[in-house]
Every structure is written in structure tokens, then in C-alpha cells.
């Protein structure tokens, strides 16, 4: 008997073989259940006489778990916004296993602890969904590893990693590095000098994390805060717009706003306290003694004052603060340096010894008040003291109010004023006299002696008649003042510039004067005018 395959394909011949004598069929090639789960073989048996018989052999391949599951990513939303609500579907996954029955049953899972899970949908399909809120500022990217395991024995598994990014949204406002800021600024600073710097961080991405700084509107002592400070919008550096004065205000607060560039924008603010530090820019101000108007203040010192007696006190203040306002008192000049002393810090003026009769009644003290700043500033005042039990005993109080320099200056001023006034008055008198004399002179010239009309004569003068002794080229009038008993000539004028020759002088005997005096009522003063 002989056995053989009858009408089988060449592929089957590579898989199976048959022993011609015994009819044993053997597997000589690889069989794969996933490719061909069964084979159908036709067998022919032939005897020695040539008679044959046919049979069909069906070979079924038994599946073994020799295929691991295969994971397919069908869809994925990447990136996913960080504000996605829990349960949002991110992607769809399909799992295939070529094995059959239990060998083809697959279970899928996520290996890491991530806010995602797989939800079965239809056969061999899973949905990747979120399980919680996402925060890009905490985790911006996820590597999700999905494991697929069949139920074969032994089970086979496969893995697939999905990279998922979280898209940023503007969900974080800028946050300042400190809860509040404080800065110190020296007064009299230059405009534009830096005060301090503020910094805010925004964990958002790109424009959502871009921070812009500005000052919130406000007022400082009724003045807009923008008149004091400005802030760089990009760096947060605060600059002084003006010079500060410690004596006007010592501190103030401003609000700085940090805003991101997201849509809609988010912001936060912080308080910046600015403290002005003092510099020694104010001299001491003396409150007592003080000059009030044109009156001076004078202290009376009893004649019976003993050593150590309180006489007066210098009171001063300083607008600065701290050591810049620590005042000390010094006597820089005094009428008697051994008589009075002043408290270094108190400003109290006391006697160093008993008052004696030899001490001058008028005592002047020049007191300097200095502060403790660097450099030190000072102010001076004059204390006027009168050693007396009664103010009426002092003849002239005003004399004690002027020291040597003031007296010289006052004298110069008085002399200048008197000189100017005298010159002015003299000039006015001369002008008036010239004008008066011009009005009194006759306007016509005469060759001989001519009587002057009575309208030209002064009211208290009498005319002296008679021919003169001068030549005809000279005219003269003689006037005697009524009531005068002397015969002196008071005034002589000539109408020409030439002087009289030596032999042409005016002579008159005492008898002539007597006769003329008899004609007048009483003694008269002779007034001679040469014309």
C-alpha cells in the first residue's frame, strides 16, 4: 500500500510531509494559527494492483499565546488647555491581539500616577480622559505610558507612551516677591535718582506671564503721587521725580500695580513705604531773644545778684531731627567775659560771680547757637543786659543796642544822609536866591546917577539922595536900613567887570554920615550899590 498527497498546494507541501509506506503525516514547516488556523489535506492510498482510494484530512492549528497586544493611537488632542474640566476626552486608543479566545483578551491600563485614565468604549477601543484639574505651572508636559496585557498563559503585554502638553491660560496674577517694600531716601536728592526696585513674578507663559508695572493713582499731602515718584514699566525700578524735603514730610506710601499682558489681564498691587532721611540743611532758629519790629528786648540784672544767679535764657529750635537738631550754646563775645556764662545745652545765662559796683551797667552778650550736624550750622543773637534795679536809672537804653560795627555803619549812614540833604537844600536856596536877585536888578543902564523908583526899594530901606563921587560911567545907590546906628557899607555891586582905579574910590567923612543919619529916623545901616 502506498500513501501520498493528492492535489495539495505547494504551500501545504512546505508545511506537511507524508510517509508513503506508513501514511504518517508530519509537520515540516511553520504553522501559524493567526495566518492559517486549519489545513485541509487530500490523501490518496494506492495498492499494488493500481486500485486507489481517497480521503480528506483536516488539520486544525491550536492557538497559543504567541502574539502580544498591539496599541494604536487613533486620535489625540495635543496640547490640551489647562482649564479643561475633569472627564474631558483627550484621545482614543485601539488595542489588537491576533490570538484567540483568552489569548486575545486584552486589558489596558496607565502605569503612572497622572490625572488621566482609560475608559472602555466599544470593543477594543478606549477613551483617554482627564481625572482632575490640570495646571501648566506645575506640570507642563505629560508622558503617559499605556500598558496592554492579554489573558494568555503566560500573558503577553505591550506598552505605548503618549506625549501630551498642557496649553497655558492666563490663570495666575503677578505675585510680588515681598508683601511690602520700604525704601529710604535722603532729602535734597536729585531728581531722577533711584529709590528702590519692586519685582513681581507671573508663572504663566509668554504674554500671559509678561509683567507691566505702574503706580496706582493717589495723593501725598494733597499732591498727586505721580509728582513724587515714577516707576519703570518693564523693570519695576522706582525713581524720584522731585527733590524731597524732610521738614515737609518724613514718609509717605504709594501703591505699585503689577499687571500681566494676558486676556483678560490679571493684576496685583503692593505697598511701597518711602522714608525720608534728614540732612543738616536748617540752621538753628532763635526764638528768644528776638527782634520784634524796631524794639529790642532788654534784661535787667539786679545789682545784688550773686554768682550762679539765673539772668536770662536763650531759646532756640532746629527744624532738623536727630543729632542735626542737638543744639549747643556758646558766648562768642561779651562786654565782660568773666561776668556771665551760658549753659552748653540749656542756654541759661547765669552770673559767674557777684555783681560789683565796678561792673559796667550795660552788658552785651553775643551768643552763638550751633547744631550737631555735619557740617555744623549756627545762628547768633545779641543779649542786652542792664545791671540795674530800676529801668528808669538807665539814661539811654538805645545806646546798648549797637555794637562797634553797627555804630560805625549807622554813623556812615547818618553822615551820608545829612550830606545829601544839605547839598540838596543848599542847591535849592542858591537857585531861589539867584532868581530873587535877578528880579531885584533894574533892567535899564544909566550913564549918570538916576533916582530909583520907590517900587524897586525894599520896604525897610531908605534912599540916600545926593550926587555920588564916582564917575559918570558908574551909577550907585545908597540905602540906609532904618533902625541901624552904624554907617558900614553892606553891599557894593558894579555894572561893569572892570574894577575901580585906585584914585576912584568912594570916600565919605564921618560928618557926612552924621548928616545923613540925622535925616533918617534913628541909626541906619548903609547899603551901597554900585551900578
Amino acid at each position: 500500500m502506498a500513501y501520498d498527497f493528492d492535489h495539495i498546494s505547494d504551500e501545504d507541501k512546505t508545511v506537511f510531509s507524508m510517509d508513503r509506506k506508513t501514511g504518517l503525516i508530519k509537520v515540516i514547516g511553520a504553522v501559524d494559527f493567526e495566518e492559517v488556523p486549519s489545513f485541509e489535506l487530500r490523501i490518496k492510498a494506492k495498492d499494488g494492483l493500481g486500485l486507489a482510494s481517497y480521503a480528506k484530512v483536516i488539520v486544525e492549528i491550536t492557538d497559543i499565546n504567541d502574539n502580544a497586544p498591539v496599541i494604536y493611537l487613533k486620535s489625540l488632542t495635543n496640547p490640551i488647555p489647562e482649564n479643561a474640566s475633569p472627564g474631558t476626552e483627550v484621545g482614543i486608543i485601539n488595542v489588537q491581539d491576533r490570538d484567540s479566545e483568552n489569548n486575545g483578551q486584552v486589558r489596558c491600563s496607565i502605569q503612572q500616577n497622572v490625572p488621566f485614565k482609560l475608559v472602555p468604549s466599544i470593543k477594543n477601543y478606549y477613551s483617554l480622559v482627564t481625572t482632575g484639574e490640570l495646571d501648566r505651572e506645575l506640570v507642563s508636559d505629560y508622558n503617559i505610558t499605556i500598558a496592554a496585557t492579554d489573558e494568555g498563559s503566560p500573558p503577553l503585554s505591550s506598552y505605548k507612551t503618549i506625549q501630551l502638553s498642557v496649553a497655558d491660560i492666563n490663570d495666575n496674577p503677578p505675585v510680588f516677591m515681598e508683601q511690602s517694600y520700604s525704601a529710604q531716601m535722603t532729602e535734597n536728592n536729585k531728581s531722577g535718582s533711584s529709590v528702590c526696585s519692586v519685582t513681581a513674578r507671573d508663572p504663566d507663559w509668554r504674554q500671559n506671564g509678561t509683567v507691566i508695572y505702574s503706580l496706582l493713582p493717589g495723593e501725598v499731602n494733597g499732591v498727586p503721587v505721580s509728582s513724587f515718584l515714577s516707576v519703570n514699566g518693564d523693570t519695576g525700578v522706582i525713581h524720584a521725580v522731585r527733590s524731597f524735603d524732610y521738614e515737609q514730610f518724613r514718609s509717605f506710601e504709594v501703591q505699585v500695580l503689577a499687571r500681566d499682558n494676558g486676556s483678560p489681564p490679571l493684576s496685583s498691587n503692593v505697598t511701597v513705604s518711602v522714608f525720608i532721611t534728614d540732612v543738616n540743611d536748617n540752621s538753628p532758629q532763635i526764638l528768644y531773644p528776638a527782634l520784634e519790629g524796631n524794639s529790642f528786648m532788654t534784661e535787667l540784672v539786679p545789682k545784688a545778684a550773686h554768682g550762679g544767679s539765673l539772668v536770662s535764657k536763650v531759646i532756640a529750635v532746629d527744624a532738623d531731627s536727630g543729632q542735626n537738631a542737638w543744639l549747643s550754646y556758646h558766648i562768642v563775645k561779651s562786654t565782660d567775659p568773666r561776668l556771665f556764662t551760658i549753659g552748653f545745652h540749656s542756654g541759661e545765662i547765669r552770673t559767674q560771680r557777684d555783681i560789683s559796683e565796678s561792673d559796667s551797667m550795660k552788658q552785651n552778650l553775643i551768643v552763638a547757637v550751633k547744631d550737631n550736624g555735619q557740617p555744623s550750622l549756627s545762628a547768633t543773637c545779641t543779649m542786652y543786659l542792664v545791671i540795674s534795679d530800676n529801668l528808669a536809672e538807665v539814661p539811654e537804653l538805645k545806646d546798648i543796642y549797637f555794637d562797634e560795627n553797627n555804630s560805625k555803619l549807622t554813623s556812615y549812614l547818618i553822615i551820608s544822609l545829612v550830606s545829601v540833604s544839605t547839598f540838596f537844600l543848599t542847591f535849592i536856596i542858591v537857585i531861589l536866591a539867584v532868581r530873587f536877585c535877578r528880579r531885584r536888578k533894574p533892567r535899564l543902564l544909566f550913564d549918570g546917577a538916576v533916582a530909583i523908583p520907590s517900587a524897586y526899594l525894599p520896604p525897610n530901606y531908605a534912599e540916600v539922595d545926593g550926587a555920588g563921587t564916582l564917575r559918570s560911567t558908574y551909577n550907585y545907590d545908597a540905602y540906609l536900613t532904618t533902625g541901624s546906628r552904624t554907617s558900614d557899607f553892606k553891599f557894593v555891586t558894579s555894572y561893569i567887570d572892570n574894577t575901580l582905579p585906585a584914585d576912584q574910590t568912594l570916600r565919605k567923612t564921618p560928618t557926612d554920615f552924621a548928616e545923613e543919619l540925622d535925616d533918617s529916623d534913628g541909626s541906619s545901616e548903609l547899603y551901597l550899590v554900585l551900578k
Side-chain angles (χ1 to χ4, degrees):
M1 183 70 69
Y3 299 94
D4 196 4
F5 293 112
D6 183 35
H7 301 293
I8 64 173
S9 62
D10 295 336
E11 291 81 2
D12 292 345
K13 291 179 179 181
T14 60
V15 176
F16 298 98
S17 67
M18 177 177 287
D19 190 334
R20 294 179 64 87
K21 294 181 178 180
T22 61
L24 180 63
I25 300 174
K26 294 181 179 180
V27 178
I28 61 174
V31 294
D32 190 352
F33 174 83
E34 288 73 33
E35 293 183 1
V36 182
S38 64
F39 293 90
E40 184 177 329
L41 303 175
R42 292 181 61 85
I43 305 298
K44 179 175 75 171
K46 184 178 180 182
D47 59 11
L49 297 178
L51 296 176
S53 177
Y54 298 90
K56 181 172 61 176
V57 178
I58 297 175
V59 179
E60 293 183 355
I61 306 301
T62 303
D63 181 47
I64 62 174
N65 192 26
D66 59 346
N67 291 281
V70 179
I71 303 172
Y72 298 96
L73 181 62
K74 295 300 182 178
S75 66
L76 180 66
T77 301
N78 191 19
I80 179 173
E82 63 177 325
N83 62 342
S85 59
T88 302
E89 185 179 80
V90 177
I92 297 176
I93 296 173
N94 176 247
V95 181
Q96 299 290 335
D97 194 325
R98 298 177 63 186
D99 296 324
S100 63
E101 297 181 355
N102 291 338
N103 294 333
Q105 299 296 322
V106 180
R107 299 188 306 270
C108 292
S109 62
I110 296 176
Q111 298 298 300
Q112 305 97 330
N113 184 18
V114 292
F116 299 93
K117 68 178 181 178
L118 292 173
V119 178
S121 56
I122 59 177
K123 185 179 180 179
N124 297 330
Y125 281 88
Y126 296 86
S127 295
L128 181 63
V129 298
T130 60
T131 59
E133 294 182 353
L134 304 178
D135 191 347
R136 191 207 67 85
E137 288 70 45
L138 296 177
V139 181
S140 60
D141 296 284
Y142 290 95
N143 292 324
I144 304 173
T145 301
I146 299 176
T149 304
D150 59 25
E151 295 182 0
S153 181
L156 298 178
S157 300
S158 63
Y159 303 91
K160 187 175 183 63
T161 299
I162 300 175
Q163 293 183 347
L164 185 63
S165 299
V166 180
D168 180 59
I169 62 170
N170 191 29
D171 58 345
N172 292 282
V175 178
F176 285 95
M177 304 301 293
E178 299 181 17
Q179 293 184 352
S180 62
Y181 290 84
S182 62
Q184 289 188 347
M185 195 69 185
T186 304
E187 68 170 329
N188 304 327
N189 58 289
K190 293 183 178 180
S191 177
S193 56
S194 176
V195 178
C196 68
S197 178
V198 297
T199 304
R201 302 295 185 202
D202 193 324
D204 292 326
W205 194 47
R206 290 186 178 178
Q207 66 178 12
N208 293 334
T210 302
V211 180
I212 302 173
Y213 302 93
S214 61
L215 290 178
L216 287 177
E219 291 185 351
V220 177
N221 294 343
V223 180
V225 69
S226 57
S227 300
F228 292 88
L229 299 176
S230 66
V231 61
N232 188 303
D234 297 327
T235 63
V237 178
I238 300 176
H239 298 276
V241 177
R242 57 182 290 181
S243 179
F244 300 137
D245 189 353
Y246 176 84
E247 286 69 43
Q248 290 184 356
F249 50 87
R250 302 185 178 185
S251 64
F252 60 92
E253 293 183 351
V254 296
Q255 297 287 326
V256 179
L257 176 71
R259 176 181 58 84
D260 61 29
N261 205 26
S263 179
L266 301 177
S267 63
S268 61
N269 53 58
V270 71
T271 300
V272 179
S273 300
V274 181
F275 298 93
I276 311 301
T277 57
D278 182 51
V279 297
N280 191 30
D281 58 346
N282 290 278
S283 301
Q285 181 181 2
I286 298 177
L287 303 181
Y288 183 87
L291 177 62
E292 298 180 357
N294 294 326
S295 62
F296 294 87
M297 305 180 67
T298 305
E299 296 283 355
L300 285 179
V301 180
K303 294 180 179 179
H306 298 286
S309 299
L310 179 62
V311 174
S312 183
K313 182 177 182 179
V314 177
I315 302 174
V317 295
D318 196 313
D320 296 320
S321 66
Q323 67 175 7
N324 295 330
W326 296 349
L327 302 181
S328 59
Y329 301 84
H330 313 268
I331 296 178
V332 297
K333 186 177 181 181
S334 63
T335 303
D336 187 350
R338 297 173 298 174
L339 183 56
F340 298 100
T341 184
I342 190 170
F344 185 77
H345 293 296
S346 63
E348 294 181 348
I349 299 176
R350 297 179 180 272
T351 56
Q352 298 189 69
R353 55 176 176 80
D354 295 345
I355 302 297
S356 63
E357 294 294 336
S358 60
D359 292 327
S360 174
M361 177 183 295
K362 303 172 184 178
Q363 298 286 334
N364 296 347
L365 303 180
I366 299 179
V367 178
V369 183
K370 298 181 179 180
D371 58 27
N372 198 36
Q374 295 295 331
S376 177
L377 300 179
S378 63
T380 59
C381 67
T382 302
M383 179 69 72
Y384 304 104
L385 304 177
V386 176
I387 301 176
S388 176
D389 294 329
N390 188 358
L391 193 62
E393 297 178 358
V394 185
E396 292 183 359
L397 282 176
K398 63 180 180 180
D399 294 342
I400 68 174
Y401 301 137
F402 302 95
D403 56 13
E404 182 178 355
N405 295 332
N406 291 337
S407 298
K408 291 181 178 180
L409 179 60
T410 304
S411 300
Y412 293 153
L413 292 176
I414 293 176
I415 293 173
S416 301
L417 182 60
V418 171
S419 300
V420 172
S421 300
T422 303
F423 176 78
F424 180 74
L425 292 176
T426 303
F427 180 76
I428 295 299
I429 292 173
V430 170
I431 293 298
L432 294 177
V434 170
R435 293 178 62 88
F436 179 79
C437 291
R438 287 181 178 178
R439 290 182 179 180
R440 285 295 186 181
K441 288 180 180 180
R443 299 186 179 273
L444 298 176
L445 296 178
F446 302 91
D447 293 337
V450 180
I452 304 300
S454 60
Y456 287 92
L457 299 179
N460 57 344
Y461 281 82
E463 181 178 1
V464 178
D465 297 327
T469 60
L470 295 179
R471 283 182 165 184
S472 61
T473 57
Y474 293 91
N475 298 322
Y476 66 90
D477 297 327
Y479 299 96
L480 292 177
T481 58
T482 58
S484 176
R485 296 185 180 274
T486 62
S487 300
D488 298 332
F489 291 100
K490 293 299 183 181
F491 184 72
V492 178
T493 60
S494 176
Y495 282 0
I496 60 176
D497 294 334
N498 297 330
T499 58
L500 292 175
D503 57 347
Q504 295 179 357
T505 58
L506 178 64
R507 290 186 174 88
K508 206 166 188 179
T509 63
T511 305
D512 298 331
F513 283 107
E515 293 176 356
E516 294 181 3
L517 292 175
D518 291 339
D519 296 335
S520 61
D521 295 336
S523 298
S524 300
E525 186 177 12
L526 182 60
Y527 184 87
L528 180 62
V529 179
L530 296 180
K531 301 181 180 178

